Amino acid sequence: MKHLHVLAMPALGVALACLPLAAGAQEKDPASGLIMAEGWETVLGNCSACHSTKLVTQNSGSRNHWQYLIRWMQEKQGLWQFDAETESTILDYLAENYGPKEGARRPPLPRALMPDNPYSTVADSG
Ligand code: HEC
């Protein structure tokens, strides 16, 4: 029965997908929109000088993805270097709070949950 809960999600529509996490909304800084979790002020201080923090909050990805973006900004966009501790704080925060979107790459629905295909020529086992 556990999986049925997950599979029911798409039926509830896009609105739910916009919620950060189903379990308990996280508090956000009203000015920047950043989730106020550990390290957020470091991110605010280092990631809001050149562009809106929306660019940050609208992105998501693994720690590697964020590190890649930071390296790209350092090489091409004039982003300064961080000491190891600061970078680690930033990457931990981003990976934790803006990690890979689970819902975005959900596996396809099982056949049983799909509507009947009116064009199917094969007997449907259900
Ligand atoms: C020195 C300036 C500068 C700082 C500071 C900066 N960025 Fe950027 N960043 C840029 C520029 C320039 C772009 C490209 C903007 C555009 O395409 O309009 C960018 C783009 C981005 C993007 C979008 C990348 C994409 O795939 O389109 C993200 C996400 C991002 N920055 C995150 C961060 C984070 C996280 C930090 C803090 C660690 C940060 N930025 C700090 C200059 C900066």
Side-chain angles (χ1 to χ4, degrees), residues 46-47 49-51 55-56 59 66 69-70 72-73 77-80 82 90 94:
N46 286 287
C47 306
C50 305
H51 50 66
L55 219 49
V56 180
N59 245 275
W66 284 110
L69 279 181
I70 286 175
W72 168 76
M73 284 181 279
Q77 311 295 352
L79 174 60
W80 45 87
F82 303 117
I90 291 172
L94 293 171

Side-chain angles (χ1 to χ4, degrees), residues 29-47:
D29 170 41
S32 68
L34 288 171
I35 294 169
M36 295 165 83
E38 193 183 340
W40 81 274
E41 283 159 304
T42 306
V43 171
L44 180 65
N46 286 287
C47 306

